[in-house]
Every structure is written in structure tokens, then in C-alpha cells.
Amino acid sequence: MSIRDATAMSVGADGLVPKERYVSQEFLDLEMEKLWPRVWQVACREEELPETGDYLEYTIGDQSILVVRTDPGTVKGYFNTCLHRGTRLADGRGNFGDGQIRCRYHAWRYALDGQLTEIVDRHEFPEVPSDLRLHEVRAERWGGFVFVNMDRAAEPLIDFLDPIPKLLGPFHLDQMRFATYRTTILPANWKVVVDAFNEGYHVQGTHPQLLAWTDDVNMEYVQFDTHAHYGRLAHARRELRPSPRLGLRDDEIDEGAILSSLVSGLGGLFYREEREIVDELRSSPLPPGTSLLEAYQQRRMEMLRSRGLDVSGLDRDKMTSADDVYWFPNMVGPTYPGTAILFRVRPNGLDPDSSIKDLWTLQWPGPDEPWKMPERKFYPDWTAKDWGLITNQDFANMAHIQAGMKSRACHGLRLNPRQESNLLHMHRVIDRYLTA
Ligand code: FES
Ligand SMILES: [Fe+2]
């Protein structure tokens, strides 16, 4: 099958998603030509650029973009290339101390707003116009994230994100701050990595230990125009139930044990003191007519309020129900009251078999805790760190998925039409870009 065919067909006549979309160099090249230069993507968070002159380099494929705070209220993005002979102007992150972006090679200089301000031996460049500026990319912000888009004609970010701002607005992501920032390299296509966090179908196969406190079967999958959601959207978690796959009778279900596993098992999503609240509720009689879940939700709401957090937009059920959102094309993860775990995944350079994964946890800073940017940790080899059981299990699958698809006998992916519907949706949205 030619790559152009694989593009026009998220699903082939055989009902399969062509594997070329995950394993071929040509398909990645096509994404690099048509998807990544046109789509809004998260470059960083605002708190990474607190001061005027702060910059940060965001890379996607072989492209590098400089995100710069040009004044207290403005963040701009530039292609990271000198107008003289193309040298990358800066890397990593830092501050353009004197308000000048200075090329390391022949010392051409630019103001923070991109204006070329100095050409060394100017008189020898009579042809160069005096109003040259660095090539700008669109940079817009929502929820504390700085998004960039290389397409000057792209729709406004807020329209692209719809309905995420509506859905996640009450969680005030803009008031959250990084709690941890880790990055690793995974041996699989970027979409393989995204897929692993965009469905619950693999829970029984990969994370059987979760079934005791997770109803993996009754998850809902909702596709929006561009983005998607999984978990309970219409009605939040009202009961503490294990997976129906375990076939337990009602009298075999211990709600207290489920709640306690939920709070400790999803580690990063709950505050440390919440385990104590669960223990306390389990060991004392509940107010009459109140379930354990309701009592806990009430306590959690009070705890968040006492930390000075605005929970006015969140109902009680939301206290124990994350919104798992797939932010097309490459960010996925649960947002909870007070916390969020977000994974950003990118191709690693131009390699279809490797990706860069950022694992971010965000938190509302507590009332008396001054926030400080955590150290960004980079693990070039994911096996060098213990990521916790659930993530270790997911990561261990990656190389096998990528290698297995390359088998001569594998022609494509047979997606579960309900539980893996978000994956198919992603392919269809990718095709909107590839065929436009
Ligand atoms: S390449 Fe930048 S000044 Fe020469
Ligand atoms: Fe998983």
C-alpha cells in the first residue's frame, strides 16, 4: 500500500488501520510536512517563563522554536534560526539578559520582539532591508499552557481547543503549577504512546491489579470535533465498584478497600493527607444515610477549600472523578480537582520508531507553600528509573508493540469499535491535516 493510500484511509477496506501509519518513515515525513507545522501544540507552561527575556526552546521533529517572554504580558514564538546563515540562536532555556538575542556565529542581534537590530559591518550588506524580523510562529495561551502553531493562518487556539476550555475550566489549570517534570525516550512511534493512554481496554491485559478497584468495562468514550474524552463524562463516579470482569457478588465488595486503593493507587492525583482521611472514615461510623463515597467526597471538598482553592465550579461527584482528556494531537491525561497528570508525546527527531515523552504533574500550590519550579529530569533510557507499577507496565509494552507491527504478517490494527474509538478518531483527525 502506498503511503498516500494509507493517508486517505484511516481504515482500509479490510477494516484495519494501516500499520504504515505507525511504522513507516514516509508516513512520519508526511506528518512532519502536513500535521506538525499546522497544528496547535503545547510548547511549555507559562510558569517556565516568569521574567521578561526568559526563553525556552521547543523542538518538534527537526524544527526548533524559541518561545520568549517579550514583556510581562506577552509570549512570542520564533523559528530558531538566524537571518544571516541560519544558525540556531539559542537552545535549552535561559534569559536573554540584556534584552538582545545575539547569534553565536557572527553576532547579529535581535530585540526580544524579533526585530533585527544589529548587523556587524552593516555597510557591507547594502541589500539587506532594515526592517527584517525573526520569522514568527503563532503563540497563544490557555490554562497556563503556551501553545505554538507554525501556520500563520491557523484558527485561533481557543477555537481549536473547543470544548476543552468548557470541560476543564472549573479545574483552573491556569492556577496549577508544575509539581514534577520528567522526560524519557520510548522505543515506539509517538502515536503508539498516545494510544496507550487513550483507552481502558488494555487495563485487564496489562494492569490486572487495577481491576479490584477500577470499573474498566463501563468507561465511556466521547469524541469531540478534534479532541476526545474517556471515563465518565455525563455522570461522574457515584459508586465504588471493581471491574465486572471479576464477577464479584455485592457482599464480596469492600468499598473502603476500593476507596483506599483509589487514593493510594493513583498516587500523583491525590494529596498525601487524603490517605489519612480515608483511614479515618473507614474506622469510624458514617453519618446516617451517607455512603462512604459521599462522606469522602465531602471531606475532600472541605480539604481543597481549606487549601484556598476555588472549587465552586465542581460538584461533589467530581471530587473522585478525573476528566481524562485527549488533547489532539499529542497530550493526554487525567485532570482532577487540584491536580493533573499530563503526558506530552512527540516524535524523537525524525525517527518513526522513537518518541519523547514528558510526564508532567501539576498541582494547585498550597496556601503557605511558595511555588518553585521543580528540576526537569531527563531519562534517556526509561528502564533506568522505576516509574511506578502502572507506568512501568505501560512502558514495557512499547517496544513489543512497535516491533510486532513490523511483522510481515501484520497488516494493520483491528480496533475495538467502542473501547478503542478514541484511537480511530485520532487517525481521522490526523487525516484532516494530511489531506488538506
Ligand atoms: S549565522 Fe547568525 S550571525 Fe552569522
Ligand atoms: Fe496503561
Side-chain angles (χ1 to χ4, degrees), residues 400-417:
H400 301 292
I401 302 167
Q402 190 71 16
M405 282 193 292
K406 292 189 180 178
S407 166
R408 297 176 64 84
C410 173
H411 299 294
L413 291 65
R414 290 192 164 80
L415 297 182
N416 179 320

Side-chain angles (χ1 to χ4, degrees), residues 81-89 102-110 116 118-120 125:
T81 182
C82 181
L83 298 175
H84 176 221
R85 277 167 55 189
T87 304
R88 275 195 184 171
L89 293 165
R102 177 185 177 279
C103 180
R104 71 190 82 214
Y105 201 177
H106 311 93
W108 283 28
R109 285 164 203 251
Y110 306 86
L116 174 62
E118 190 179 331
I119 298 176
V120 177
F125 287 91

Side-chain angles (χ1 to χ4, degrees), residues 101 254 415:
I101 305 174
D254 177 351
L415 297 182

Side-chain angles (χ1 to χ4, degrees), residues 25 28-29 31-32 35-36 41 58-63 185-186 188-191 193-194 329-330 344-357:
Q25 184 68 53
L28 186 88
D29 293 347
E31 289 175 344
M32 284 300 165
L35 171 67
W36 296 106
Q41 52 209 284
Y58 169 69
T59 57
I60 178 72
D62 58 2
Q63 297 301 300
I185 305 293
L186 292 172
N189 186 271
W190 70 273
K191 298 184 293 300
V193 181
V194 170
N330 67 331
R344 179 182 67 170
V345 192
R346 289 168 283 167
N348 184 11
L350 300 177
D351 185 352
D353 297 326
S354 178
S355 50
I356 306 170
K357 180 175 185 190

Side-chain angles (χ1 to χ4, degrees), residues 45 47 173-179 361-365 371:
R45 291 220 11 118
E47 65 255 37
L173 279 162
D174 55 316
Q175 290 168 27
M176 291 191 193
R177 296 289 179 268
F178 276 116
T361 53
L362 306 178
Q363 269 190 9
W364 280 343
W371 175 79

